[in-house]
Amino acid sequence: MQSGVVNNSQKPLMRGVSVAGFFGGSPRTFDYIQHNPAFMLKKLSWVNDPMVVCQIPNMVSVNSCLAADLRGQVCSESLAMGNTGGVGGQLDFVEGARKAPGGQTFLAMHSSVTTRSGEKVSKITLTLPMGSVVTTPASDVMFIATEYGVAELQNRSARERARNLIAIADPEFRDSLTFEAKKCGLL
């Protein structure tokens, strides 16, 4: 915004203003934001309201996630019984962007992680670990992105979802995911 690249001039809703539910950053960021009419803080209940979000044509929602299963269910707040974060506004923005004219939603994650014990594990699995909370149901997921590409899931069959997700999994796990998917009848 300071360089003029972002000016919010094309927004149909609250044109010319960056709206947020909260801000974070360095003292320099806060100095820039404070008393700047180009910024507005509003209640999260308004900022995250899907009926507000969907009023923005071509809205693109980008959120991070922890894991996905081969059906396209996404977990972003816990794995197994361990809680890693709150619910946040992920589902609100996914729903709002899906309803916006030309809107798109992306859920991004690393394809694998190395545990504290040094074991490498896939973040794309046949099923989510038992006890994991499904943050975004498969029916609401449009795209999942990893460092290996983007899987399109919207309006795809279970078989297509599984294939697309295996294609963006860590290459080390693709064969085992394919084997598991075939064994369970997904492929």
Side-chain angles (χ1 to χ4, degrees), residues 112-134:
S112 62
V113 65
T114 302
T115 65
R116 288 183 182 158
S117 66
E119 179 188 11
K120 186 176 179 182
V121 295
S122 180
K123 294 176 74 175
I124 296 173
T125 53
L126 178 65
T127 61
L128 292 174
M130 184 183 291
S132 298
V133 174
V134 174

Side-chain angles (χ1 to χ4, degrees), residues 67-79:
D69 69 18
L70 289 184
R71 292 183 185 266
Q73 297 182 110
V74 172
C75 173
S76 300
E77 56 199 277
S78 74
L79 277 178

Side-chain angles (χ1 to χ4, degrees), residues 75-168:
C75 173
S76 300
E77 56 199 277
S78 74
L79 277 178
M81 297 307 290
N83 195 25
T84 59
V87 175
Q90 182 176 105
L91 188 56
D92 296 326
F93 277 92
V94 165
E95 183 181 331
R98 283 183 72 234
K99 291 180 179 178
Q104 297 182 40
T105 69
F106 294 85
L107 298 169
M109 67 177 178
H110 291 285
S111 63
S112 62
V113 65
T114 302
T115 65
R116 288 183 182 158
S117 66
E119 179 188 11
K120 186 176 179 182
V121 295
S122 180
K123 294 176 74 175
I124 296 173
T125 53
L126 178 65
T127 61
L128 292 174
M130 184 183 291
S132 298
V133 174
V134 174
T135 306
T136 304
S139 58
D140 288 335
V141 176
M142 291 179 84
F143 301 99
I144 294 180
T146 72
E147 66 273 30
Y148 295 105
V150 178
E152 186 170 351
L153 303 184
Q154 185 178 32
N155 300 323
R156 299 294 187 255
S157 69
R159 178 167 289 176
E160 291 170 319
R161 287 169 172 264
R163 275 195 196 119
N164 292 354
L165 285 162
I166 291 168
I168 64 162

Side-chain angles (χ1 to χ4, degrees), residues 48-68:
N48 291 10
D49 185 339
M51 296 311 294
V52 171
V53 175
C54 76
Q55 294 177 48
I56 304 168
N58 302 312
M59 173 67 179
V60 176
S61 165
V62 179
N63 288 276
S64 64
C65 59
L66 297 172

